Amino acid sequence: MSAYSPSSVIAVLGPTNTGKTHLAVERLCAHSSGMIGFPLRLLAREVYDRVVALKGVNRVALVTGEEKIVPPDARWFLCTAEAMPMDRDFSFVAIDEAQLGMNPERGHIFTDRMLNIRGRDETMILGSDSLRPLVAALIPDADIVSRPRFSTLSYAGPRKLSRLPRRSAIVAFSVEDVYAIAEMLRRQHGGAAIVMGSLSPQTRNAQVKMYQDGEVDYLVATDAIGMGLNLDVAHVAFAALKKFDGRRRRRLTLAEIGQIAGRAGRHQKDGSFGILSGLASSDELLPEEIERLEDHDFPTLEWLYWRNAEPEMGSVSELIKSLEDKPQNRHLQAAPEAVDLAVLKRLAQDPNISQLAVGHEKVRLLWEAASIPDFRKVGADHQSRFIASLWPYLAQGSGRIPHARMAQEIARLENVQGDIATLAARISAARSWSYIAQKSRWVEQAQVMVERTRTLERRLSDAMHSQLTQRFVDKRTRVLMRGLSKEALPQDVALESDGVILVDGLQIGTLKGFQFVVPSDSRREDRKMLLAAAERYLGPIMTDKANALAKAPDSELTLVADDAGQPVILWQEAKLAVLAKGKNLLYPEIKFDRSLKDISPENSKKAEERVKQWVEAMKAKHLEGLVKIDALAHDANTPASVRALFAQIVEAGGIIDRRQVDQAVRAMDNDMRGVARRGGLVFGALDIFHHALMKPGAVLWRTALFAALDARPMITLPGDNAVHLKDWTFASPDHASRLGFRSIGAAYVRVDMAERLIKQAHEARQAGPIFTIDPALATSLGLSTDTHDALLAMAGFVKTEDKPEEAVPAPTNQAKSAAEKAPKQEAAQEVEQEAPGAQAVPTVPDDRAPVDAPAEQQKSAAADPVPAAGPYWRWKGMGKARAGKPQKHHNRKAGKRSKKTGSPPRKPAPVLATAGGAFAELAALKDAMKK
């Protein structure tokens, strides 16, 4: 720049990406003082930060409509074009993007600055090469310097949003389109940053920082991006080629397209541009337009907009007339009516306003008020009403807006809650009050109001950035989509102890067993993408999981009922399989969860084999007796009648009402019964069951197997230690038996406990035909007297009003005992064949059942000749059941002869009415003989 003479005007013209702004900043800092006017507050703030880094915060000023930072020692000013202080003297002055003199709304401002503002030593005009003939015509003494583009700009053709390369900027021309495109980018690529001229600098800087730091790979912007913002953009895609310019919807000029497209590429890095396809609003570029854009060959400008920069202030009407003056130069045209002039005209029509606008100072004040920018974009009518509400304060009294009024308006905006549209409206309103607060002579406690509006805008901006990020940025999606690209770098994938999956430190979901669960806060439309990404990242983790399951101890797998009541197998709280109907009760079908189908075949096989092993292990552990009975039922060495009985018992789940199989039981000889007992069966008076099936694990598995076989929900299980159920309802009568309970009146008693009580009653018969039964055992089980009585009645015992006779001491002669031994055994065997309850009930080995009384106490009770006071019982007996139907029990009448032999009938043996009683008497006789 040393070749330029002092007090020179230099026009630096060329396409974008030529470093014109960078050159201006260098020249600014090279002078003792200087000022640059920019088209955007955002750009002014960006350059301000750069100059502060070079010169220090105390020597650099920022002047915009809404923000003024002017330290006392400020020598370098960065301003918006409208806010450039015209009354100060600077060594260097520059105006950026001077071709904006063609803008219908603001063009006259840029034209005025280009024509009238000068630096003491140097003036620089920055702009497009299309401005060249106008600079030459309007500023003949200006030196025009061409700046070539540093890199190549090429047309990449139309592309879908999903096909856009990283580091792309998508340009739209309405807030609605910006948001819609950003939302699509969030779903497809993980999000985008937002850049609009209406954003506060703080919000814009935060959004741009996300993009520059690589937190997002895409930027959605309005045409504000074309105004010199320095961004690392590789590709620019136009969502549309038409925009509404405030008056009509029109197609962008080739120069405007070139200005925006030129943001692609930076310094010597090439860039590309194109059209966003697949949108209704997208247009096409003609081949000749593409060629001119690539060559930066734009039509030259023939004129600029102009408006009288020093209008008459004698009266409001003179002011309006002078603002509508026509330019005298053919290279200038009168600017269209801008919002400020439209507002002024509406204010002038109000007598209450115009009568206070008398004299130069008041007219100038009214024009200054009418020039408050329409930040809210509400139009001239609404804007004029807003200014009319302030005018009486400015034109009368102290000429200041009362502190209370401003404080009230600001307080109304101090709400950071709400959606993006609500926050944007508040920010726009806050900008209006920030602009007013900067007019120190307009407000009371000006500095307080400046700080308060600045704080307000900062808080709203933070909230706006948060809302934009929350709505349009999904870091999870961004990380995953990057990993799915072909050129992706290796990513760090980790599985936390709680199952959380982290990719590059970001949670993408949770792994429960082999089931990948997307985060609860993810949107529905993101679920498919997350599941697809999981397949890529979870391969090694799934292999580790499959190996861990293959080695997992049995205790880590569980069988539970899911929400639908299905029996499911879980591992690490995740479903592996569900039991379904198979060929029979003990062999259900194992339907494996879909999550096992989605992993590799090798891992799936490992997991499925482990589940099958576990099911077999659990059946062997909890249903061992039932499995053995089933094996005997299919063993050819087992007698046919026993096989049939065992098959029925297995089909019933190991617990069956004795009356249902009474004929089969009666047909069994002692050897057969020995086989059954070795299988673990207990032949009770009321039920036949396997003693080990009362344990909690067995109950759970039997319930699950029945649910699978019946394709119905699992029965609700009582507590593990429950032996007596009161106020319990079963959906089906057979459900009680499946849980191991027998219905006794209105209550349910576990079958092994019921047989224990019946056994106690038979032992009490040793005292004689009339006897009492100790209620302590029934009470300890929680049975009421009525339930206990009903159980005993069901087992063949009846209450009697008779009193027991005095017991006769048992014989002590061993010879007599030996002589009576054989007849008593024969009698016992005969009675056992007649009475279904005749089988002696062995003690059931169960860790939950109360133990029998010690043998010494039993002997003492049997030998006690005087029964305890209480209800008396006698044995009536249980009726036979043939062909599955119970029949009434009857005794042979005394004195009736046998039809076959004619011999006298046998004498009844009431004490030996059951085998249980017979065996008990024999045991008592043996003890007596020993004594």
Side-chain angles (χ1 to χ4, degrees), residues 727-903:
D727 302 323
W728 194 274
T729 302
F730 289 103
S732 175
D734 63 345
H735 286 181
S737 175
R738 291 180 177 182
L739 289 182
F741 286 84
R742 167 169 282 278
S743 174
I744 309 293
Y748 294 90
V749 180
R750 209 172 72 192
V751 294
D752 57 334
M753 294 297 103
E755 297 297 342
R756 189 178 292 251
L757 290 169
I758 294 171
K759 175 187 175 184
Q760 180 196 33
H762 280 294
E763 291 173 345
R765 290 173 54 201
Q766 299 177 30
I770 306 298
F771 51 88
T772 60
I773 300 173
D774 187 357
L777 178 57
T779 302
S780 69
L781 298 178
L783 272 64
S784 66
T785 301
D786 291 342
T787 301
H788 189 205
D789 292 352
L791 172 63
L792 295 178
M794 192 179 293
F797 294 89
V798 294
K799 285 186 177 181
T800 179
E801 298 296 330
D802 298 336
K803 302 292 184 180
E805 298 178 358
E806 185 175 347
V808 179
T812 58
N813 190 311
Q814 293 183 0
K816 181 179 179 181
S817 175
E820 293 179 349
K821 184 175 182 181
K824 287 184 179 291
Q825 287 179 340
E826 292 178 358
Q829 292 174 358
E830 180 180 352
V831 174
E832 183 184 10
Q833 296 297 323
E834 294 179 348
Q839 174 64 39
V841 181
T843 302
V844 180
D846 190 327
D847 57 353
R848 296 178 301 172
V851 298
D852 290 335
E856 292 78 4
Q857 294 182 16
Q858 294 183 16
K859 292 177 182 178
S860 175
D864 189 356
V866 182
Y872 295 104
W873 296 83
R874 66 181 178 83
W875 168 247
K876 178 182 177 182
M878 300 175 64
K880 298 178 182 179
R882 292 187 176 87
K885 295 182 180 180
Q887 296 181 0
K888 291 184 178 180
H889 174 80
H890 64 279
N891 293 326
R892 294 184 177 91
K893 293 183 179 179
K896 187 175 181 180
R897 291 181 175 271
S898 169
K899 291 184 180 180
K900 278 190 176 184
T901 63
S903 59

Side-chain angles (χ1 to χ4, degrees), residues 129-446:
D129 200 60
S130 61
L131 197 60
R132 182 182 297 270
L134 289 178
V135 171
L138 297 173
I139 315 173
D141 59 342
D143 292 330
I144 300 178
V145 179
S146 295
R147 295 279 290 190
R149 181 179 168 89
F150 291 148
S151 60
T152 301
L153 181 67
S154 58
Y155 179 63
R159 291 188 182 182
K160 292 183 178 180
L161 196 66
S162 59
R163 300 288 184 179
L164 288 179
R166 292 177 56 193
R167 314 312 294 168
S168 289
I170 300 91
V171 180
F173 299 100
S174 71
V175 173
E176 293 78 11
D177 287 346
V178 167
Y179 290 165
I181 293 169
E183 177 66 24
M184 287 188 285
L185 285 169
R186 184 198 65 77
R187 294 200 300 265
Q188 297 177 6
H189 296 286
I194 306 293
V195 173
M196 297 185 294
S198 60
L199 294 180
S200 66
Q202 186 171 337
T203 304
R204 174 262 179 187
N205 289 343
Q207 290 287 302
V208 167
K209 187 175 186 300
M210 281 198 313
Y211 176 80
Q212 293 293 80
D213 292 348
E215 294 182 30
V216 292
D217 292 324
Y218 298 89
L219 181 74
V220 186
T222 59
D223 51 353
I225 193 178
M227 301 300 175
L229 297 181
N230 294 310
L231 300 169
D232 184 14
V233 175
H235 178 79
V236 171
F238 289 86
L241 295 176
K242 294 179 181 178
K243 74 171 185 177
F244 182 75
D245 63 5
R247 289 172 174 78
R248 61 186 178 88
R249 183 174 176 79
R250 63 174 178 83
R251 196 174 194 271
L252 299 176
T253 66
L254 200 61
E256 289 172 327
I257 297 173
Q259 180 76 17
I260 298 170
R263 292 301 157 190
R266 191 170 186 184
H267 297 294
Q268 296 182 356
K269 186 177 181 181
D270 294 339
S272 61
F273 68 98
I275 302 297
L276 189 64
S277 64
L279 298 181
S281 58
S282 61
D283 301 299
E284 295 292 336
L285 284 170
L286 299 176
E288 56 269 24
E289 291 178 320
I290 296 172
E291 183 178 357
R292 297 185 69 177
L293 288 168
E294 290 180 333
D295 294 339
H296 315 294
D297 180 17
F298 306 123
T300 58
L301 299 179
E302 298 180 359
W303 44 264
L304 299 174
Y305 284 119
W306 174 91
R307 190 173 73 180
N308 190 351
E310 296 180 357
E312 294 293 332
M313 297 293 177
S315 65
V316 175
S317 59
E318 290 179 2
L319 171 61
I320 294 173
K321 182 180 178 180
S322 62
L323 288 172
E324 293 180 333
D325 285 347
K326 304 297 182 183
Q328 302 302 311
N329 192 310
R330 67 182 181 86
H331 297 293
L332 303 175
Q333 285 192 11
E337 184 179 87
V339 173
D340 54 0
L341 180 55
V343 169
L344 177 63
K345 288 181 177 180
R346 285 163 173 76
L347 294 174
Q349 294 173 1
D350 187 341
N352 295 326
I353 293 176
S354 58
Q355 68 184 4
L356 294 176
V358 178
H360 284 76
E361 292 302 320
K362 291 297 178 66
V363 171
R364 187 180 299 277
L365 179 62
L366 181 61
W367 175 229
E368 192 175 354
S371 299
I372 296 175
D374 181 17
F375 294 111
R376 299 173 297 166
K377 304 299 180 185
V378 294
D381 287 336
H382 286 83
Q383 183 71 0
S384 61
R385 284 196 288 271
F386 170 65
I387 294 172
S389 68
L390 303 178
W391 176 245
Y393 300 125
L394 300 176
Q396 300 179 106
S398 65
R400 298 174 184 270
I401 301 171
H403 180 76
R405 166 69 192 278
M406 279 200 70
Q408 182 182 12
E409 293 291 341
I410 294 171
R412 186 174 57 85
L413 299 172
E414 289 177 332
N415 181 2
V416 296
Q417 304 301 316
D419 57 15
I420 292 174
T422 301
L423 290 172
R426 291 193 190 120
I427 290 175
S428 296
R431 292 178 70 187
S432 296
W433 289 107
S434 294
Y435 183 93
I436 292 169
Q438 295 296 337
K439 304 282 188 180
S440 58
R441 65 183 187 281
W442 283 13
V443 297
E444 297 176 349
Q445 304 181 31

Side-chain angles (χ1 to χ4, degrees), residues 585-586 623 625-627 629-630 645-657 679-683 687-694 698 702 705-706 737-740 751:
L585 179 69
L586 280 176
L623 304 177
L626 197 58
V627 171
I629 294 172
D630 182 64
L645 174 62
F646 283 1
Q648 285 182 277
I649 293 174
V650 171
E651 186 177 322
I655 301 173
I656 192 168
D657 189 326
L681 284 180
V682 175
F683 290 81
D687 295 283
I688 299 174
F689 58 93
H690 194 283
H691 64 82
L693 296 181
M694 301 296 108
R702 287 173 51 252
L705 293 178
F706 273 118
S737 175
R738 291 180 177 182
L739 289 182
V751 294

Side-chain angles (χ1 to χ4, degrees), residues 516-550:
F516 177 75
V517 181
V518 299
S520 58
D521 61 345
S522 61
R523 296 175 173 88
R524 183 175 59 183
E525 59 269 21
D526 295 337
R527 295 175 64 86
K528 185 176 180 180
M529 181 274 301
L530 287 169
L531 291 171
E535 293 182 9
R536 172 186 174 90
Y537 294 109
L538 299 184
I541 291 177
M542 288 301 188
T543 299
D544 293 341
K545 296 284 285 186
N547 293 334
L549 173 59

Side-chain angles (χ1 to χ4, degrees), residues 609-622:
E609 288 298 326
R610 181 65 185 95
V611 172
K612 292 176 183 177
Q613 292 171 4
W614 183 77
V615 171
E616 293 303 315
M618 292 301 100
K619 287 196 300 183
K621 176 180 180 180
H622 298 295

Side-chain angles (χ1 to χ4, degrees), residues 424-557:
R426 291 193 190 120
I427 290 175
S428 296
R431 292 178 70 187
S432 296
W433 289 107
S434 294
Y435 183 93
I436 292 169
Q438 295 296 337
K439 304 282 188 180
S440 58
R441 65 183 187 281
W442 283 13
V443 297
E444 297 176 349
Q445 304 181 31
Q447 191 56 40
V448 173
M449 287 295 99
V450 166
E451 290 299 324
R452 187 165 178 184
T453 54
R454 185 178 296 167
T455 301
L456 170 63
E457 189 172 349
R458 183 169 57 250
R459 292 185 62 215
L460 291 173
S461 297
D462 287 342
M464 182 68 160
H465 173 65
S466 177
Q467 284 283 356
L468 290 172
T469 303
Q470 181 178 346
R471 178 172 172 182
F472 299 123
V473 177
D474 189 328
K475 294 182 178 180
R476 248 192 323 259
T477 303
R478 176 179 57 81
V479 168
L480 297 181
M481 294 308 297
R482 281 186 179 179
L484 295 176
S485 63
K486 294 181 180 179
E487 65 276 8
L489 297 174
Q491 293 176 291
D492 180 28
V493 182
L495 174 63
E496 299 290 283
S497 58
D498 57 357
V500 171
I501 301 293
L502 300 178
V503 177
D504 286 348
L506 191 67
Q507 179 180 351
I508 68 166
T510 304
L511 197 60
K512 293 185 176 180
F514 292 90
Q515 182 182 10
F516 177 75
V517 181
V518 299
S520 58
D521 61 345
S522 61
R523 296 175 173 88
R524 183 175 59 183
E525 59 269 21
D526 295 337
R527 295 175 64 86
K528 185 176 180 180
M529 181 274 301
L530 287 169
L531 291 171
E535 293 182 9
R536 172 186 174 90
Y537 294 109
L538 299 184
I541 291 177
M542 288 301 188
T543 299
D544 293 341
K545 296 284 285 186
N547 293 334
L549 173 59
K551 299 176 182 178
D554 290 343
S555 59
E556 289 189 6
L557 283 78

